[in-house]
Structure formats: structure tokens, C-alpha cells
Amino acid sequence: MAFDNAQALIFTGSDVEKFLDGLSSNKVEINHDEVIDTLVLDNKAKIIAQMHIFKLNNMYISVTIADDFNGMIDYLNSKVLSQDVTISNVTNLNHIDIVYNEGKSHDKMKRFSKITQIGINNLYTVEIYSKQLDRLELDGDEKSFTEWRIDNIIPWYGYEISGSVNPYQCGLNYQVHENKGCFTGQEILTRMRTRKKGIYRLVCRANSDSPTSIASTEGNERSLYLERI
Amino acid sequence: MDCGTCESASPVVVETPAVVNVELTITENAHSMLDQAFGDDRSMALLVGVLSGGCSGYMYDLQIVEDTEIDCQELSISGFRILVPNSSSHLLNGIEIDYEDRLMGGGFKINNPNAQSSCGCGESFA
């Protein structure tokens, strides 16, 4: 499926890893062929962007999803200061597709010919390839992807995830590293965790069991719900 | 992502904040601590910088350096050389460098009129 609301960003410079780690909810220590799923949060812990970061040659590449992409770029640039970090947007040079439901192993970054594949949380794959190549044949549409997403309990932008919620309010708990130390938004998330307040989990229920009017993602037979823990 | 064009893609164009001529003050406590740290050798400088990160988005970075490759403005305050990176000058103008002598949470503190909020430990601000 075409992943039209994702952006491909390249970060270069000697301070990139430190820069991304300081702004990330997850630890950014990228080994060879690894993909790090992380979030950039504001100081109230609201989600600015979701990033899937991997390393290619001397570049750090992020498949990035954000409510307000230009605002996110401004935010990142305001944090560069005297650090050796340059950000380039190469979205217009690349196709970005989601491959799902194919029973593949999706846990790492792989390169096949001219296609780079990154595995997201061992559930699905994002393929990135040059727009100089014809777009690969795409299976599935948003509707079938949504049904698959409900079955696999995956939160998504425009449904569970938005700029007005924090990771604990939309089922992205696993993208918050609890022991990494300071990152933007960390104090609020730690307080929520220690007081066990305001934390939600994403659950899948049959439509016959719960009113779909309160579902975060509505499917044909089953839907996703955010449920307070 | 293998077409050879990505690496030459131009960086995102951003408006960087204007460089401000920084004014800062040092409290008596901080002065005596810096006196102890520098001793008689005033050729060294205190680099007062800002890094991204921390709980609130920016973190203070204090270092004693001989020199730096970072583009800085140099101030002379109470006989100390103070270096402030131009790229962070808009965030540091008007700060007061203080020192708190406490067993827990003590050390150099920055009181910053530009900060809208800061985190509990005082190292980070927004």
C-alpha cells in the first residue's frame, strides 16, 4: 500500500546520533541493519512525530510521520544549534510503500537491489525506493490495511495517534524507553507511569461486544478501542 | 533509496535566529566556585552552551575549555573568559550563572529569563 503521509528525512553530521537520542522517547543507538522505532515529543509529551530510523552508509534515514510536517522540521531545526547536524527531505525522490500481511520477518533493515526494506516492530515492512524506478505493483488499499491493522492491534496516525496525545494515550507505550534518562517529555511520562494515571492500552473487540461509536478504529466485524489501564 | 540523488539532496532551508550580543551575570557564589576551578590560570574559558534534549527540549552545557571550534562570542566578566556560541545566543542573553552549595541537586545553575519552563533538575529548559 502506498504510504503517502510518510516522509523520508536524511540526517548527516557527526552529532546526529546524540541529537536524535536527545529528542527521542526511545534509545537511539543504531547498529548495523537495525531499525529504531521512536517518537519525538514536545515538552508536554505530546507526539510531534513518529520516526523509524536506520543507518545507510554515513546517513541516518528516518521514515517520519507527523501531523504537522513543516512544524516538525522547524522544531528539529531549532534544536540543532551548534551541533553538526544537517537535515534533508528526500521524500520527493522516493516511493514509500507499506508491505503487510505477507508472513515475512520484518525485524531489520535489508537492501534488495535498489529497494531498502525496513521492518517495523516485527509486524510490517516499509519499502523505500527511488522515483526513478516505476512504482511496484501495490496490493491492498486503506480499507484492507485498516482491517489488518485491527487484527494486529496497531495504532495509526489519524486514528489513535495525533499531535494532541502522548504515547501512553494511544497505544505506543512500547516506543517509550523507561530507563534511558532525560528526553523531551520524559518527566510527564514518568509521572504518569509511577502514579499509574492516564495510561491506556489498545485492545481489539468484536463490534457486537462494544459500541463502535467509541472505537478509535472501526472495522467491519472488529474494532480497536483505547482502554484505560 | 539507492539512486544516488539522496546524498546530494539539498538541506531543508530554515531561518536561523539572529545572533544576539549576549549579556550575562555571575553571582558571588558562582564567582568563588569558578575562582577555585580556574585558579590563577585565566587563559582557560568557561563555555556556556545549549544542546538539544533534556526533559524540556534544551539542555545547558557548561565546559571549561582552552578554545573551541564553535563560532562563539567572547565575554570578559569579573576577569573570567566566557564563551557563548552564536547559535545559542538568542537562548542565553540575560542569563545569570549561579552556584548552589547543596549535597543533593547542587552545582552550577542557570537562571534564564528566556526559559518558559524548566525541568525539575534545572538542567533543561524550553
Side-chain angles (χ1 to χ4, degrees):
Chain A
M1 190 185 83
F3 196 1
D4 290 333
N5 58 347
Q7 310 272 336
L9 297 179
I10 292 181
F11 296 83
T12 50
S14 56
D15 295 327
V16 169
E17 199 157 303
K18 193 173 67 175
F19 172 75
L20 289 173
D21 190 53
L23 297 176
S24 281
S25 63
N26 212 344
K27 227 174 202 169
V28 179
E29 286 174 357
I30 305 180
N31 299 314
H32 188 59
D33 290 348
E34 203 177 9
V35 182
I36 301 284
D37 304 321
T38 190
L39 300 164
V40 176
L41 308 174
D42 68 15
N43 57 358
K44 292 188 170 65
K46 307 290 185 198
I47 297 169
I48 294 175
Q50 197 177 7
M51 287 183 161
H52 307 292
I53 307 169
F54 60 99
K55 224 172 156 180
L56 196 62
N57 304 325
N58 60 343
M59 304 182 291
Y60 290 80
I61 297 159
S62 166
V63 173
T64 308
I65 313 117
D67 255 0
D68 172 9
F69 185 73
N70 291 331
M72 182 211 64
I73 289 287
D74 288 346
Y75 179 83
L76 292 179
N77 270 301
S78 72
K79 305 296 181 198
V80 171
L81 301 171
S82 50
Q83 296 168 102
D84 178 20
V85 175
T86 303
I87 307 168
S88 303
N89 184 2
V90 294
T91 311
N92 292 334
L93 301 173
N94 291 281
H95 296 294
I96 306 174
D97 297 341
I98 295 176
V99 181
Y100 63 99
N101 212 14
E102 290 194 0
K104 289 180 183 172
S105 170
H106 305 281
D107 55 345
K108 286 192 168 186
M109 192 273 278
K110 293 173 190 161
R111 299 183 75 193
F112 296 100
S113 181
K114 295 190 171 181
I115 298 172
T116 301
Q117 287 189 339
I118 58 166
I120 310 296
N121 201 26
N122 215 19
L123 285 167
Y124 61 96
T125 299
V126 172
E127 289 188 343
I128 310 158
Y129 53 100
S130 167
K131 281 195 174 166
Q132 290 175 359
L133 304 172
D134 290 336
R135 187 148 220 165
L136 298 173
E137 196 177 322
L138 298 172
D139 291 329
D141 53 17
E142 190 172 346
K143 206 169 171 215
S144 62
F145 175 69
T146 299
E147 290 296 331
W148 174 84
R149 196 167 63 70
I150 290 168
D151 290 341
N152 288 278
I153 315 180
I154 298 172
W156 208 251
Y157 253 95
Y159 294 87
E160 290 78 23
I161 308 169
S162 76
S164 59
V165 296
N166 70 46
Y168 290 156
Q169 293 170 322
C170 65
L172 287 175
N173 312 30
Y174 70 96
Q175 288 189 7
V176 179
H177 197 292
E178 295 184 2
N179 305 315
K180 76 168 268 192
C182 283
F183 60 85
T184 309
Q186 180 249 350
E187 278 194 336
I188 288 170
L189 296 178
T190 303
R191 204 177 305 139
M192 288 175 74
R193 208 167 53 240
T194 51
R195 292 180 183 173
K196 294 181 179 158
K197 270 191 169 174
I199 298 179
Y200 290 75
R201 68 178 166 198
L202 195 58
V203 294
C204 177
R205 289 207 197 100
N207 289 351
S208 53
D209 294 341
S210 292
T212 54
S213 56
I214 57 164
S216 54
T217 302
E218 187 177 340
N220 287 335
E221 291 174 6
R222 305 202 296 166
S223 298
L224 292 178
Y225 296 82
L226 284 161
E227 182 181 83
R228 198 183 274 261
I229 296 176
Chain B
M1 182 134 269
D2 202 20
C3 56
T5 53
C6 290
E7 283 167 315
S8 58
S10 53
V12 173
V13 178
V14 283
E15 278 184 36
T16 48
V19 175
V20 176
N21 288 325
V22 172
E23 290 181 14
L24 61 82
T25 53
I26 298 174
T27 64
E28 275 184 32
N29 278 349
H31 187 282
S32 59
M33 279 314 295
L34 287 173
D35 241 347
Q36 286 180 37
F38 282 97
D40 293 332
D41 183 7
R42 296 298 161 93
S43 63
M44 304 293 273
L46 179 69
L47 175 68
V48 185
V50 176
L51 301 172
S52 59
C55 300
S56 300
Y58 293 114
M59 283 187 304
Y60 297 112
D61 179 37
L62 292 183
Q63 293 178 47
I64 293 177
V65 297
E66 203 171 327
D67 215 339
T68 177
E69 290 178 0
I70 300 169
D71 179 28
C72 285
Q73 44 190 285
E74 184 170 332
L75 313 175
S76 177
I77 296 173
S78 310
F80 297 110
R81 281 176 67 214
I82 312 283
L83 298 174
V84 179
N86 280 326
S87 56
S88 318
S89 61
H90 62 292
L91 298 168
L92 294 172
N93 187 29
I95 60 166
E96 178 190 66
I97 302 174
D98 190 16
Y99 184 85
E100 286 185 13
D101 190 7
R102 291 190 305 192
L103 281 178
M104 285 185 71
F108 284 102
K109 299 280 173 192
I110 309 277
N111 299 317
N112 190 342
N114 307 299
Q116 293 164 355
S117 62
S118 45
C119 77
C121 64
E123 284 182 23
S124 176
F125 68 101

